[in-house]
Amino acid sequence: MSIRSIVAAMATSLVLPSMSAVADSQGEAIVVTATRTARTVDETLAPVTIITRQDIERLQPQSVVDLFRGLPGVSFANNGGRGKQTSLFLRGTESDHVLVLIDGVKVGSATAGQAAFQDLPVDLIDRIEIVRGPRSSLYGSEAIGGVIQIFTRRGGQGFTPSFSIGAGTDHHYKGTASVSQRNDHGWISLSLSRELTDGFNSCRVEAAGVGGCYTAEPDRDGYDNNSGSLNAGYRFGGGTEVAFNWMKTDAESKFDGSYQNSAKSSQEVAGLKLSVKPFAPWTSSVSVGVSKDHANNYLNGVYASTFDTQRTTGTWQNDLMLGKAVTLTVGVDAQRDEIDSSTAYAERARDNTGVFALLQADVGVHELQLSVRRDDNEQFGRHTTGSVAWGMGLTPAIRLVASYATAFKAPTFNELYFPFYGKADLRPETSDTVELGLRGEHGWGRWTVNVFESDVEDLIAYDASIFLANNVDSARIQGAEATLATTLAGIDVRGSLTLLDTSNESDNAYQGNWLARRPAQSARLDLDRAIGPVRVGATVVAEGKRYDDLANEHRLGGYATLDLRAEYAFAPHWRVQATLGNVFDKAYETARFYRQQGRNVFLTLRYAPGR
């Protein structure tokens, strides 16, 4: 896909706009992830998707993966169902090019370099903000493809208890309970969830008897997850506020493999934040956070390995109102990564300090955002990133947005120090991205169209010439995204279309090939209709072909799935819900050899005051 064809796709979408995903229709909704300050979706200038608690309960997803499928710019590779290894690709970048925050605290494995999306409990989530496009100039390493921030349950005004229980195919059971208290000054919310499933045989076997997992284990691969979250805070007089958050998941997953076939893992994150207003135009906040990613692996019940990582972060941020239309944000981030593993790493800890500044200004119909950041890492040294974004109101209903940004990704501990693979003098991966977008807000709905091009250099991959990881790859990613949210004949319509052209630009045998596991086309359509106490809905997700490997020898076919859902509010605050997933029992794979769930049913009884 050339730039010319992308612009043509953009022009076509202006005439026949494609559908928006979940809550892109909320142009006035407040988002904090895009600029590290509270702004409306329109004011951020960045492409943002917001998923609310109401969206989650309406869509009835069984996992975060289900919730994200087909959203603009998002694709997954999953190794066989619930709780199995899952990689998220945002705008075609690598799976470790996405920064993930939980209640403002950076999470993810320092060894593998990515967050465990498969273990995040969707029933404990209150809100999700997905910001597409590079954000290294605000957050530092990892934000080449974008930033995803997850906010845990907070509850409504007053005393609010809620719970849900459900059961479905493959002996899948879930239960969630939450209780919260909120008033004008303080809040506290506690939530617990439990999920277990027998699963299905996640890895198919070829005729020769060996599959992608290098073994033949025709058994069910189950999953078990126990999770909890706590949010609390208090607003004092004079603009002072203190907030605390905590979430933990303990999971056990079984899979097929010749070196290990089960794992016990835990993810834990905790954060504390204090905000004060020394005087009216100045808000200053200090926050600290700790996230832990622990995993013990087993083969047939016998211990095999341990990979434990801990990330400790601290931030001092200052927001200064320099006038009614100008805001200056300056701050400093500190981060320490530590590992404890049965594998002998040459180094087990490193520190990083980043200083950042963001200027946001509104001048008439124009908006301008300038940001710059300087990171100092004891492993790879100093690195500077920046971005500029400009928005202009073409009409009261239509806005033009253009941006340019640089980003980088620091090598992981595995890439630096894993025995017989890591290389200690690796350079950070870097990127340049240019983007152009149009968005419209009308009485009948909201639409957005974005085109972008990213050039990523010094990608880290295995170098056969030295038998180690090395900065050997480069890539060019060109893409177009279009969304729409509207209501037709009483039916709420939301959907998205993403077109990607990913090209390996390395000077080797893979030059010109597609990047592995990224579909060239993906789309999602959500339809919902409320009829008195009954609500019915459907979701269609379609993805084009992809290749499973760098050589583009193993093709994974495109697919489309249909999910149906219904709910009945039989009493105040009480609902019974039902989903029929993968209605036509479509067999497909997002990673070679690894099955996805066929036709399935799930029933839920939910008590939720205020929904």
Side-chain angles (χ1 to χ4, degrees):
M1 184 192 302
S2 65
I3 287 293
R4 181 178 298 175
S5 63
I6 292 177
V7 173
M10 178 176 176
T12 302
S13 295
L14 288 176
V15 180
L16 296 172
S18 296
M19 309 295 175
S20 165
V22 236
D24 274 0
S25 60
Q26 300 176 0
E28 297 304 313
I30 299 298
V31 58
V32 298
T33 309
T35 62
R36 299 182 66 147
T37 58
R39 307 279 285 186
T40 68
V41 169
D42 284 335
E43 290 172 337
T44 66
L45 302 183
V48 178
T49 297
I50 299 174
I51 305 171
T52 66
R53 184 68 216 167
Q54 288 82 357
D55 292 322
I56 294 172
E57 293 184 4
R58 170 178 57 84
L59 295 168
Q60 304 180 49
Q62 299 307 313
S63 67
V64 170
V65 177
D66 290 342
L67 184 62
F68 281 11
R69 289 177 65 227
L71 295 186
V74 178
S75 62
F76 279 99
N78 171 265
N79 288 3
R82 293 290 294 120
K84 307 305 180 285
Q85 177 65 43
T86 300
S87 299
L88 181 147
F89 305 101
L90 192 54
R91 285 193 163 182
T93 59
E94 298 289 333
S95 59
D96 58 358
H97 288 173
V98 181
L99 177 66
V100 181
L101 307 169
I102 295 180
D103 292 321
V105 181
K106 186 184 293 188
V107 300
S109 167
T111 52
Q114 58 188 47
F117 285 98
Q118 67 273 10
D119 291 330
L120 296 178
V122 70
D123 290 317
L124 300 191
I125 294 174
D126 194 72
R127 175 184 173 91
I128 301 174
E129 298 176 359
I130 303 174
V131 182
R132 306 187 296 280
R135 282 294 176 272
S136 282
S137 60
L138 290 178
Y139 291 100
S141 176
E142 300 172 36
I144 289 180
V147 180
I148 296 175
Q149 180 154 203
I150 296 170
F151 299 91
T152 52
R153 295 282 290 269
R154 282 164 168 75
Q157 192 72 11
F159 178 71
T160 309
S162 64
F163 76 89
S164 65
I165 54 173
T169 306
D170 297 324
H171 297 98
H172 186 190
Y173 304 100
K174 293 176 70 176
T176 303
S178 178
V179 62
S180 65
Q181 176 71 51
R182 175 183 289 271
N183 57 34
D184 293 339
H185 296 286
W187 69 92
I188 185 170
S189 176
L190 173 65
S191 301
L192 302 171
S193 75
R194 172 92 164 99
E195 176 181 11
L196 66 158
T197 176
D198 287 350
F200 51 91
N201 188 26
S202 60
C203 186
R204 69 177 172 87
V205 178
E206 289 190 316
V210 178
C213 45
Y214 302 103
T215 187
E217 298 179 30
D219 58 350
R220 287 180 175 268
D221 297 306
Y223 178 66
D224 195 331
N225 184 306
N226 296 294
S227 303
S229 68
L230 174 66
N231 267 280
Y234 193 82
R235 296 187 182 94
F236 301 89
T240 299
E241 178 177 305
V242 61
F244 171 78
N245 64 274
W246 168 85
M247 188 188 80
K248 184 175 182 179
T249 70
D250 285 315
E252 182 174 1
S253 181
K254 296 182 180 179
F255 46 92
D256 297 339
S258 56
Y259 296 101
Q260 55 195 39
N261 55 15
S262 68
K264 294 181 179 179
S265 61
S266 69
Q267 321 293 321
E268 185 172 13
V269 57
L272 180 65
K273 182 176 181 179
L274 172 66
S275 298
V276 298
K277 291 181 72 70
F279 52 88
W282 177 21
T283 300
S284 183
S285 64
V286 176
S287 59
V288 293
V290 177
S291 66
K292 301 178 181 180
D293 184 294
H294 293 174
N296 291 328
N297 304 300
Y298 303 85
L299 177 63
N300 299 323
V302 178
Y303 170 81
S305 62
T306 293
F307 292 92
D308 294 345
T309 71
Q310 177 171 304
R311 175 168 286 167
T312 305
T313 55
T315 295
W316 179 32
Q317 180 172 317
N318 299 273
D319 303 313
L320 300 162
M321 294 295 298
L322 304 182
K324 288 185 177 180
V326 180
T327 303
L328 175 65
T329 298
V330 294
V332 58
D333 293 327
Q335 176 175 316
R336 180 172 178 81
D337 291 336
E338 301 172 274
I339 63 172
D340 183 10
S341 173
S342 57
T343 299
Y345 287 84
E347 298 286 343
R348 292 177 174 265
R350 69 179 179 193
D351 297 317
N352 186 92
T353 302
V355 179
F356 61 91
L358 167 67
L359 179 68
Q360 303 177 78
D362 298 341
V363 183
V365 298
H366 301 275
E367 295 178 60
L368 183 65
Q369 295 177 4
L370 301 170
S371 60
V372 65
R373 181 180 173 111
R374 180 74 164 176
D375 281 276
D376 187 355
N377 186 285
E378 67 173 314
Q379 165 60 34
F380 62 81
R382 295 179 175 87
H383 205 87
T384 302
T385 52
S387 73
V388 56
W390 165 74
M392 175 181 171
L394 300 178
T395 72
I398 299 176
R399 176 169 298 170
L400 172 69
V401 178
S403 66
Y404 171 79
T406 62
F408 80 102
K409 162 68 171 55
T412 67
F413 274 88
N414 281 354
E415 293 165 338
L416 292 168
Y417 308 119
F418 195 86
F420 308 109
Y421 175 77
K423 188 170 180 284
D425 60 351
L426 289 173
R427 299 182 300 276
E429 301 166 292
T430 61
S431 73
D432 296 88
T433 299
V434 61
E435 182 167 352
L436 182 66
L438 281 169
R439 37 179 96 161
E441 184 86 45
H442 310 273
W444 50 263
R446 175 182 172 86
W447 56 267
T448 67
V449 180
N450 298 284
V451 296
F452 59 91
E453 178 174 297
S454 296
D455 290 298
V456 189
E457 301 294 335
D458 288 327
L459 281 170
I460 298 170
Y462 181 74
D463 188 343
S465 67
I466 60 174
F467 304 104
L468 296 173
N470 205 359
N471 296 102
V472 295
D473 283 345
S474 60
R476 173 165 293 175
I477 303 169
Q478 298 175 325
E481 301 164 347
T483 71
L484 173 85
T486 187
T487 300
L488 299 173
I491 301 174
D492 295 329
V493 180
R494 298 175 175 88
S496 65
L497 171 68
T498 302
L499 305 176
L500 282 179
D501 181 6
T502 63
S503 176
N504 191 321
E505 299 294 303
S506 308
D507 187 16
N508 55 33
Y510 303 138
Q511 188 174 32
N513 288 2
W514 293 19
L515 299 183
R517 296 185 174 180
R518 281 78 144 182
Q521 309 90 17
S522 61
R524 172 170 175 152
L525 175 64
D526 290 308
L527 304 174
D528 288 277
R529 175 76 186 269
I531 308 170
V534 176
R535 176 182 286 271
V536 295
T539 295
V540 177
V541 174
E543 295 190 339
K545 72 175 183 180
R546 71 192 82 190
Y547 292 97
D548 191 66
D549 58 328
L550 290 173
N552 287 185
E553 293 179 350
H554 302 295
R555 179 180 181 273
L556 301 177
Y559 72 92
T561 60
L562 170 65
D563 299 334
L564 301 177
R565 57 184 170 271
E567 67 174 58
Y568 172 54
F570 61 90
H573 315 316
W574 288 89
R575 285 175 290 166
V576 60
Q577 299 178 311
T579 61
L580 176 59
N582 197 356
V583 173
F584 299 109
D585 201 25
K586 176 66 177 178
Y588 66 99
E589 297 174 0
T590 57
R592 189 172 178 234
F593 296 112
Y594 291 98
R595 297 184 176 97
Q596 296 300 298
Q597 190 172 27
R599 186 184 298 113
N600 60 91
V601 176
F602 200 85
L603 302 176
T604 303
L605 175 65
R606 188 180 301 278
Y607 173 74
R611 296 299 187 192

